[in-house]
Amino acid sequence: MSAQLRPQELPQARLVLLGTGTVGSAFVARYQALQRRQLNLPTLQVVANSRIALACDDAPDAALSRARDAQPGAGEPVHRLEVGRLGAGDIVVDATASEEVAAEHAPWLAQGIHVVTANKLGNGTAFARARAIADAAREGDARYGDAATVGAGLPLLRSIRALVAGGDHVHAIEGVLSGSLAWLFDRYDGSQPFSACVREAAVAGYTEPDPRIDLSGEDVRRKLLILARAAGVPLEADQVKVESLVPAALAALSAGEVDAALPQLDAALAERLQQAKAQGLKLCFVGRLDAQGASVGLRALPQGHALAGGSGTDNRVAIHSDRYSTQPLLIQGPGAGAEVTAAALLDDVLAVVSR
């Protein structure tokens, strides 16, 4: 019988970071901070984006800076080349929002490569892809770390999966799932137009560069799909009824025309706010799943409602189950921000290492 490697002799996992935007940059900063605290982290070998991949050596921040400044190239996608050099036990961190990268999650897992992701296009699109990811993780004995995909690392997915694993039955999940929309409707009180709040949120970095991505409700739909699947519900995207806040005329514009046309939002939102205030209610953008179906949209809630509290970018999620039938399990905390998202990614990396 061959001798087994002692823990200190085990080959160290290699780590590749895909994505050098705000989340990728925050990941590198936190990685270096944890290194200084001498945590047991795999070596960050490469940082890559759609343009270039660079070896980190002992200076991942320098590699990150160079990658961010790189010009577009041609040929085989960089992520495919870099991950092609990895093997079982290595780790890919997906800090992108790329469909092309998300399509590779299941094949990587099947090879035994762990995937840690903030990209919602893995478990938050077609159910067939989510099922393929789960099957591939089992086949490859690899971990799929997706805590950063919903709630910026709040213990939402972990809590739902633990309830299901313990035999509990989840009846409903409802929540304020978008940090940007939470901030907008916490801020919007009628003292200024809604479009002014949207511009303020964009400057603060709370929305996507094109705020229609947030206002359309599509991001919340994806998060609701991820939560539903964690609860064992095989929900498809077209089964979620979505109320977009974006008028058709605004949706049809090019990205460069959006800012000047944002006042198209104002009249409808002012009317909704006035109606809510007249009834003593608060506007919240909510995703909900229950036995009657799934929906995403703006709701006027009583001030004492479980989802009506919080402030700023807080996410608030209420989980109704057999165990929590009288009063829901409520999870609340910051639901947006590169730093908390990066922390969730590193938590999942550490969970892989300690497994």
Side-chain angles (χ1 to χ4, degrees):
M1 186 171 69
S2 60
Q4 290 186 335
L5 291 176
R6 292 188 295 274
Q8 63 269 29
E9 296 173 335
L10 289 172
Q12 188 183 48
R14 293 172 291 176
L15 183 63
V16 168
L17 170 66
L18 305 180
T20 58
T22 55
V23 173
S25 299
F27 179 90
V28 169
R30 183 165 178 81
Y31 176 89
Q32 292 181 299
L34 295 184
Q35 268 193 325
R36 290 191 290 271
R37 290 167 49 190
Q38 299 185 328
L39 269 71
N40 181 28
L41 286 166
T43 301
L44 180 55
Q45 291 199 332
V46 171
V47 296
N49 53 31
S50 61
R51 303 179 298 279
I52 195 171
L54 293 171
C56 292
D57 300 321
D58 294 324
D61 50 348
L64 176 79
S65 179
R66 289 170 55 206
R68 289 172 65 97
D69 293 338
Q71 298 301 309
E76 182 77 3
V78 169
H79 73 268
R80 196 167 293 146
L81 289 170
E82 285 309 315
V83 180
R85 298 185 175 98
L86 301 182
D90 292 332
I91 306 168
V92 174
V93 174
D94 179 2
T96 76
S98 166
E99 163 64 29
E100 195 173 23
V101 175
E104 302 284 354
H105 288 181
W108 292 337
L109 291 162
Q111 296 172 52
I113 298 170
H114 306 287
V115 177
V116 170
T117 181
N119 188 345
K120 292 179 280 293
L121 299 179
N123 269 344
T125 53
F127 180 68
R129 175 177 286 179
R131 183 169 54 196
I133 285 171
D135 292 345
R138 284 192 295 272
E139 176 189 334
D141 190 26
R143 184 182 179 97
Y144 191 67
D146 59 353
T149 59
V150 184
L154 291 174
L156 294 172
L157 293 170
R158 183 171 62 219
S159 298
I160 291 170
R161 288 168 178 154
L163 290 175
V164 172
D168 200 1
H169 176 65
V170 176
H171 300 290
I173 302 170
E174 59 178 349
V176 174
L177 299 172
S178 166
S180 57
L181 292 175
W183 187 91
L184 279 169
F185 286 104
D186 182 54
R187 175 73 165 163
Y188 181 49
D189 60 4
S191 62
Q192 59 180 334
F194 187 74
S195 57
C197 295
V198 173
R199 291 189 178 110
E200 192 177 347
V203 169
Y206 295 140
T207 68
E208 296 292 334
D210 184 343
R212 293 176 299 182
I213 296 171
D214 302 282
L215 298 169
S216 71
E218 182 58 33
D219 176 68
V220 177
R221 184 206 318 242
R222 289 172 181 160
K223 291 174 180 176
L224 190 63
L225 288 170
I226 294 168
L227 293 175
R229 292 159 183 176
V233 180
L235 191 66
E236 287 287 6
D238 61 6
Q239 294 176 291
V240 183
K241 183 180 178 181
V242 178
E243 175 199 359
S244 173
L245 300 179
V246 183
L250 181 57
L253 298 178
S254 68
E257 297 172 301
V258 169
D259 185 73
L262 283 177
Q264 293 181 24
L265 298 164
D266 293 338
L269 269 300
E271 183 177 354
R272 295 286 290 271
L273 179 64
Q274 185 178 17
Q275 292 171 350
K277 281 186 168 183
Q279 300 173 68
L281 305 177
K282 179 179 179 179
L283 291 178
C284 297
F285 199 86
V286 174
R288 180 176 172 86
L289 168 70
D290 58 26
Q292 282 69 52
S295 63
V296 168
L298 194 59
R299 290 171 58 190
L301 301 177
Q303 296 292 340
H305 191 282
L307 304 183
S311 61
T313 63
D314 277 3
N315 281 187
R316 286 173 71 87
V317 179
I319 302 166
H320 305 259
S321 69
D322 288 343
R323 186 182 302 182
Y324 298 101
S325 57
T326 304
Q327 186 175 357
L329 172 63
L330 184 64
I331 299 173
Q332 174 184 340
E339 288 75 18
V340 288
T341 303
L345 290 170
L346 261 304
D347 286 351
D348 275 338
V349 169
L350 288 167
V352 169
V353 172
S354 64
R355 189 173 74 156

